[in-house]
Amino acid sequence: MPELPEVETIKEDLKELVVGARIDKAEILDLALVEGPSPEEFVRRLEGRLIVDARRRGKNLVVGLDSGDAVVFQLKIGGQLLLVPPVEVPTTALILVLRLDGDRRLFLRDETGFTRARVSTGEELAAWSVSLGPEPLEAEFGVEYFRGKLSSRRARIKPLILDQEVVAGVGNIYADEALFDARIHPRRKANTLSADEWAALHRAIQNNLRAGIEHRGTTFSLYRDVLGRKGGHQEYLKVFLRAGEKCLGCGGKVVREKVGGRATFVCPACQREAGLEGEQSLLFG
Ligand SMILES: [Zn+2]
């Protein structure tokens, strides 16, 4: 599932390979893709336009056109954007085909069917961007912001860092990895974290996202870059999808639990659920 590092990788690929190209033809193969406007208008606003930039906002991919419009893609669980050639022509799960000048084609495919896209004006794009939280690797996401935003909340910490209005781009994989690095149990209530724990978690979120970008994303099964290549960060994961395996911190066992409805990987020895602060909150909370 593409999170910030995966979408960042795709965005960089598009900048290198596709920016400057003209969209000669746009074919929608699955109407469920289009969130807005109508599929006919979606096609009309793409065809004949030059792709002038590729950006990322949180987990969303933003492809800018010379008209001032932008196509916003949410790749959700299994969305793939593949440039053909040189990638072999995909034949299954196609939802959108963009024919570019120079006889190239950009294929959007998704076996899971959750990918969505919309065409937005510059104004619509700006309003939407403001509704999202800060970018975790930019200065606006400071530790003071992070702690100030959440430290009075009684909700569990993991769902809060997955909330795209708190910070935009963190998903299930990097949340679990960051919580492990910070030695914080995903079920801890935000208002029980100490100042040191907020600082450790802030640092861990940034470090894990940076490492994910450096390794060009995490591939378990579906994620691919624009040239069809897998990411490499799965080799570096410490807890995610490692249930039953040895904890790299203490030698104990990583377990799989459910937190906020999401599969969650945790070392119960390294990430104590009821620390000192947890016990205090039971007394005073
Ligand atoms: Zn451990």
Side-chain angles (χ1 to χ4, degrees):
M1 26 183 121
E3 301 183 26
L4 185 152
E6 292 74 33
V7 180
E8 179 72 17
T9 303
I10 293 169
K11 181 263 284 179
E12 286 296 316
D13 284 354
L14 291 179
K15 274 172 80 166
E16 194 187 318
L17 299 164
V18 170
V19 166
R22 191 181 61 238
I23 302 171
D24 284 336
K25 195 168 166 38
E27 296 168 70
I28 300 168
L29 292 113
D30 178 358
L31 293 177
L33 166 73
V34 182
E35 277 191 330
S38 67
E40 295 74 21
E41 196 184 337
F42 184 99
V43 165
R44 189 179 59 74
R45 284 163 71 176
L46 263 63
E47 288 186 342
R49 289 296 163 193
L50 283 178
I51 297 174
V52 293
D53 68 4
R55 282 168 281 156
R56 181 190 55 71
R57 181 71 176 97
K59 295 187 259 187
N60 306 276
L61 183 67
V62 181
V63 175
L65 306 177
D66 64 346
S67 56
D69 284 344
V71 191
V72 181
F73 292 96
Q74 298 166 262
L75 300 174
K76 297 284 178 79
I77 294 173
Q80 303 171 340
L81 271 167
L82 300 167
L83 187 69
V84 176
V87 176
E88 209 174 300
V89 178
T91 54
T92 59
L94 291 174
I95 46 185
L96 176 70
V97 183
L98 301 180
R99 287 180 184 273
L100 307 177
D101 55 1
D103 204 25
R104 297 187 302 165
R105 281 173 291 170
L106 189 61
F107 287 86
L108 176 63
R109 71 183 296 275
D110 185 354
E111 290 169 21
T112 66
F114 291 109
T115 292
R116 295 292 176 265
R118 66 177 184 279
V119 179
S120 298
T121 63
E123 216 166 65
E124 288 164 346
L125 192 71
W128 161 77
S129 184
V130 164
S131 74
L132 295 176
E135 285 290 326
L137 296 179
E138 288 181 14
E140 52 184 352
F141 182 66
V143 66
E144 303 76 20
Y145 160 83
F146 186 43
R147 185 181 167 190
K149 181 94 179 163
L150 298 180
S151 62
S152 63
R153 300 282 298 270
R154 298 171 58 126
R156 305 191 187 289
I157 187 65
K158 181 177 171 185
L160 289 174
I161 59 177
L162 293 179
D163 181 346
Q164 301 299 298
E165 290 178 19
V166 170
V167 55
V170 181
N172 214 29
I173 300 171
Y174 296 91
D176 280 7
E177 293 290 298
L179 285 161
F180 173 76
D181 278 352
R183 300 296 190 261
I184 295 169
H185 196 285
R187 208 175 275 126
R188 286 272 302 281
K189 290 184 176 178
N191 64 353
T192 70
L193 268 60
S194 67
D196 284 351
E197 287 177 320
W198 283 113
L201 183 55
H202 179 265
R203 195 164 54 239
I205 288 171
Q206 294 193 325
N207 287 344
N208 278 280
L209 293 173
R210 284 200 190 98
I213 293 170
E214 192 184 317
H215 301 132
R216 298 185 57 82
T218 301
T219 300
F220 298 119
S221 57
L222 298 174
Y223 165 69
R224 296 289 185 278
D225 70 15
V226 173
L227 296 181
R229 299 170 297 197
K230 294 179 178 180
H233 193 62
Q234 60 279 6
E235 306 298 330
Y236 298 86
L237 297 175
K238 289 148 282 187
V239 286
F240 197 80
L241 284 195
R242 294 191 68 245
E245 293 178 43
K246 214 173 190 184
C247 168
L248 302 176
C250 71
K253 241 181 205 176
V254 175
V255 301
R256 178 190 161 121
E257 301 189 10
K258 211 160 215 194
V259 178
R262 306 289 300 271
T264 295
F265 298 85
V266 57
C267 171
C270 289
Q271 296 163 270
R272 299 270 308 281
E273 189 166 354
L276 180 62
E277 291 82 12
E279 282 152 22
Q280 277 172 353
S281 95
L282 288 180
L283 288 173
F284 302 115

